[in-house]
Amino acid sequence: VAFNRRYFPLVERFKELVDALDGPYLAACNFCRSERYDSQKFAAAPDTHDFPFVVGTAIHGLDLLAHLFGEIAHCETTPLAVQTNQTHAWLARLRFASGLAGEARLLPCSGSSTEWIEVHSQRRSLYLRAGFLFGTSDDAGSIEIHEGGKLVERIAGEAESPPVVRCGFVGEYLDLFRAMRDGRRPCANLATSISTMRVCEQIEPT
């Protein structure tokens, strides 16, 4: 698992907001790609194609969910048939270890190539919109805070930051060095990787 999403400055700000949220009851990840046939290529030639879609690509969205909301303790999946090209998407119902309900919509063939995460409480909803996930994009992403049915604040990502900073690579190394200094595990570690891989294989067994 590549963990750099955990260290995006905008994700770190979003996590602060999540941790301060009073009584969240639903978190969701929307992970959309366009014309991705990874799973079909893997099934046809597993020795020559790296990974199916969930393990190879959507794993990043699932790992970010776990980072933001805690370990995913339970997963039930409904494959969704895309009849126009005989592929599948996945709708996963999740339960985090905290008891929070979750959902992941993983779409390899859609009209979009983007990601967003949302979390809802009674009066406040938070959205992490992820144009910034692609380091070459001019869209640095944003956080939206909604209260009482209205958008009350929009926090834009830092478009002027170098991609190596904006996309978390610097933060990932800094956390590793600080963890070594402090004698602790880094935020991203083998245990978190194994946990996320387990969820991926439940969604799309290989």
Side-chain angles (χ1 to χ4, degrees):
V1 182
F3 293 114
N4 57 297
R5 278 171 172 77
R6 293 173 174 235
Y7 299 96
F8 292 177
L10 199 62
V11 168
E12 292 176 334
R13 177 68 181 114
F14 188 73
K15 184 161 174 52
E16 292 174 358
L17 294 168
V18 167
D19 291 345
L21 190 62
D22 183 27
Y25 63 84
L26 178 66
C29 171
N30 301 269
F31 194 99
C32 303
R33 293 292 185 270
S34 178
E35 302 300 322
R36 290 290 296 267
Y37 298 98
D38 307 45
S39 298
Q40 290 69 34
K41 293 175 181 177
F42 181 82
D47 294 333
T48 59
H49 191 77
D50 290 339
F51 300 107
F53 181 76
V54 175
V55 170
T57 300
I59 188 170
H60 304 302
L62 294 166
D63 182 71
L64 189 53
L65 267 183
H67 170 60
L68 291 168
F69 305 109
E71 182 180 2
I72 299 171
H74 182 72
C75 175
E76 293 182 4
T77 305
T78 302
L80 307 174
V82 183
Q83 296 182 357
T84 51
N85 63 3
Q86 288 76 54
T87 64
H88 286 88
W90 296 268
L91 176 63
R93 305 284 186 179
L94 310 174
R95 182 72 61 181
F96 295 91
S98 65
L100 176 67
E103 186 174 82
R105 296 184 283 274
L106 313 176
L107 313 179
C109 293
S110 73
S112 300
S113 186
T114 190
E115 304 165 30
W116 71 93
I117 284 178
E118 59 193 72
V119 58
H120 304 275
S121 66
Q122 178 187 348
R123 286 191 49 81
R124 173 172 274 208
S125 296
L126 307 175
Y127 297 86
L128 175 66
R129 304 196 183 277
F132 64 95
L133 289 176
F134 311 101
T136 57
S137 174
D138 292 332
D139 180 1
S142 66
I143 294 168
E144 291 184 2
I145 303 172
H146 295 242
E147 290 181 355
K150 298 178 181 179
L151 172 63
V152 297
E153 186 176 1
R154 183 178 185 273
I155 303 169
E158 298 180 0
E160 67 277 7
S161 295
V164 71
V165 175
R166 191 170 75 235
C167 294
F169 298 108
V170 170
E172 186 171 12
Y173 279 110
L174 286 175
D175 183 47
L176 176 61
F177 296 148
R178 288 167 180 158
M180 295 170 64
R181 179 195 65 193
D182 300 339
R184 60 170 177 84
R185 285 185 175 184
C187 170
N189 55 67
L190 181 60
T192 59
S193 180
I194 291 171
S195 178
T196 302
M197 283 291 294
R198 186 179 297 117
V199 174
C200 289
E201 290 175 351
Q202 289 176 337
I203 294 173
E204 185 183 18
T206 56

